[in-house]
Amino acid sequence: MKILVTGGAGFIGSNFIYHMLSEHPDYDIVCLDALTYAGNLHTLEPALKNSRFKFVKGDITDRNAVFELFKNEKFDTVVNFAAESHVDRSINDPAIFLSTNVMGTQVLLDACREFGVSRFHQISTDEVYGDLPLDRPDLFFTEETPIHASSPYSASKAGADLLVLAYYRTYGLPVTVSRCSNNYGPYHFPEKLIPLIIVNLLHDKPIPVYGTGENIRDWLYVEDHCKAVDLVIHKGTPGEVYNIGGHNEMKNIDVVKLVISELGKSEDLITYVKDRAGHDKRYAIDPTKIHRELGWSPEVKFKDGIKKTVQWYLDNREWWEDLISGEYINYYEKMYKNR
Ligand code: NAD
Ligand code: TYD
């Protein structure tokens, strides 16, 4: 079995590569990644020593390069993690989100058709469903919830999902889609909430909390997501969508306070800042389908996952200290100064 993992130098893709290399000792894995600001080859250093792993630098929107790669490698399965993934960046500059997330996905789908790939799996997000109200804790996203995206990021992911499912209906391409809630864990780029809190606290810098901090996210440890994707690509039914989430809803402010207490820092560092435009109120996944049909359940409790994550950032300072120099300083200034 030969698997193409796109976007494997990013957060979830890299965790998935490590999961697959250890769980499937007979599989070959090729990673295609453009190494944007979010991609980091250091993350893949241990994998690069494995003879069953190969890294190719390239852009999923580059049709010629993608077709050449498919022709040479003859993949059985393609798992598409490659994306522009940060909501705040999509609010400032939507164009690249359309290009990578929609057009890039189309290039991969065309290559799968052309070279007879037996499974294309699209890594999507619960954000395609829009949000749920804060005062209706009885409501959850199911696979039947209508697509109702709020941000340019989620709209581009929704566009890609529709395209993937259209390739199943129109051309019979064997596709699956998974829509996961917010992930956390090792190798998470420090522009996202949890690693940003950790990194700022370790520098005794303020923690910017958007709006009132009442917004709710449904957190899942990244390894649990990887296990779910592994199941879907092997046992999922073509043409189907699977929601992935572990009923672990937390208000942002409670996540911030938990990490502060984990690191023994002061809550005085909490700073309420201007809210995100169009800020989704609550995400909450109903994972009944993947549990019932594929037997998946999350294994890591949030309290334990946060402990492991904080410890990982303490043990791997050189990994993130590299990332928060250079371009990240400009990004942070632009995003948070005068907010
Ligand atoms: P990330 O931003 O950490 O990584 C994205 C990777 O894709 C990077 O390595 C980047 O270099 C690469 N990439 C970007 N544009 C590319 C292009 N044009 N060609 C090739 N490679 C390109 O993202 P992540 O958090 O690991 O998310 C991975 C996937 O999971 C995304 O599709 C995202 O929508 C989805 N997702 C993320 C979360 C989450 O909580 N992070 C939750 C649900 C779904
Ligand atoms: P984020 O990690 O960007 O994920 P997403 O927007 O895709 O859910 O943000 C998680 C939540 O944290 C979201 O409600 C926005 C909020 N947030 C802050 O309050 N401050 C921050 O600096 C960031 C990056 C996010």
Side-chain angles (χ1 to χ4, degrees), residues 214-219 248-255 258 302:
E214 295 294 303
N215 301 60
I216 290 172
R217 297 294 182 264
D218 185 0
W219 295 97
N248 188 64
E249 293 175 50
M250 297 271 293
K251 286 182 190 167
N252 290 341
I253 189 64
D254 293 337
V255 173
L258 182 63
F302 192 65

Side-chain angles (χ1 to χ4, degrees), residues 4-267:
L4 173 66
V5 177
T6 68
F11 166 43
I12 310 174
S14 59
N15 277 282
F16 182 71
I17 287 169
Y18 287 119
H19 167 85
M20 295 302 280
L21 286 173
S22 82
E23 291 303 306
H24 302 282
D26 50 338
Y27 286 11
D28 289 317
I29 302 207
V30 176
C31 169
L32 174 67
D33 196 297
L35 297 182
T36 68
Y37 79 93
N40 185 351
L41 211 43
H42 291 308
T43 302
L44 292 174
E45 263 160 20
L48 287 164
K49 296 190 185 116
N50 190 320
S51 59
R52 293 183 292 115
F53 176 74
K54 183 154 113 186
F55 178 80
V56 178
K57 184 172 187 296
D59 193 316
I60 58 166
T61 65
D62 182 343
R63 183 170 288 265
N64 290 337
V66 167
F67 273 56
E68 192 60 27
L69 182 69
F70 274 65
K71 192 170 109 195
N72 293 336
E73 297 286 353
K74 302 183 174 52
F75 300 116
D76 301 293
T77 295
V78 173
V79 185
N80 182 27
F81 289 90
E84 288 294 331
S85 67
H86 191 33
V87 172
D88 292 325
R89 287 184 194 255
S90 83
I91 293 168
N92 284 1
D93 186 10
I96 182 79
F97 285 74
L98 274 282
S99 166
T100 296
N101 299 0
V102 182
M103 302 310 288
T105 300
Q106 193 225 345
V107 169
L108 293 172
L109 289 166
D110 285 345
C112 287
R113 281 188 71 209
E114 176 76 19
F115 297 98
V117 167
S118 47
R119 175 63 62 89
F120 175 86
H121 182 69
Q122 176 70 358
I123 302 294
S124 185
T125 163
D126 60 356
E127 301 192 26
V128 301
Y129 298 122
D131 63 355
L132 297 163
L134 291 174
D135 60 356
R136 289 292 307 274
D138 55 315
L139 297 180
F140 296 92
F141 297 137
T142 73
E143 290 78 0
E144 275 70 50
T145 301
I147 299 285
H148 197 264
S150 311
S151 69
Y153 162 67
S154 53
S156 69
K157 293 295 290 184
D161 281 18
L162 295 176
L163 202 59
V164 170
L165 296 169
Y167 271 59
Y168 172 74
R169 165 93 184 232
T170 306
Y171 307 114
L173 189 72
V175 307
T176 37
V177 175
S178 55
R179 296 180 178 146
C180 191
S181 58
N182 288 61
N183 285 213
Y184 67 102
Y187 302 119
H188 204 179
F189 192 84
E191 67 186 351
K192 306 282 170 52
L193 182 67
I194 288 181
L196 185 139
I197 305 171
I198 299 172
V199 164
N200 280 18
L201 286 175
L202 290 175
H203 286 115
D204 292 311
K205 276 176 62 176
I207 307 301
V209 174
Y210 297 168
T212 59
E214 295 294 303
N215 301 60
I216 290 172
R217 297 294 182 264
D218 185 0
W219 295 97
L220 185 71
Y221 193 65
V222 63
E223 177 66 12
D224 278 328
H225 185 188
C226 295
K227 288 177 180 164
V229 173
D230 187 354
L231 269 177
V232 174
I233 62 176
H234 289 99
K235 297 193 179 145
T237 306
E240 291 293 313
V241 174
Y242 296 89
N243 282 354
I244 306 171
H247 281 304
N248 188 64
E249 293 175 50
M250 297 271 293
K251 286 182 190 167
N252 290 341
I253 189 64
D254 293 337
V255 173
V256 170
K257 287 181 178 169
L258 182 63
V259 179
I260 286 176
S261 88
E262 207 48 61
L263 279 168
K265 297 284 180 178
S266 163
E267 290 191 4

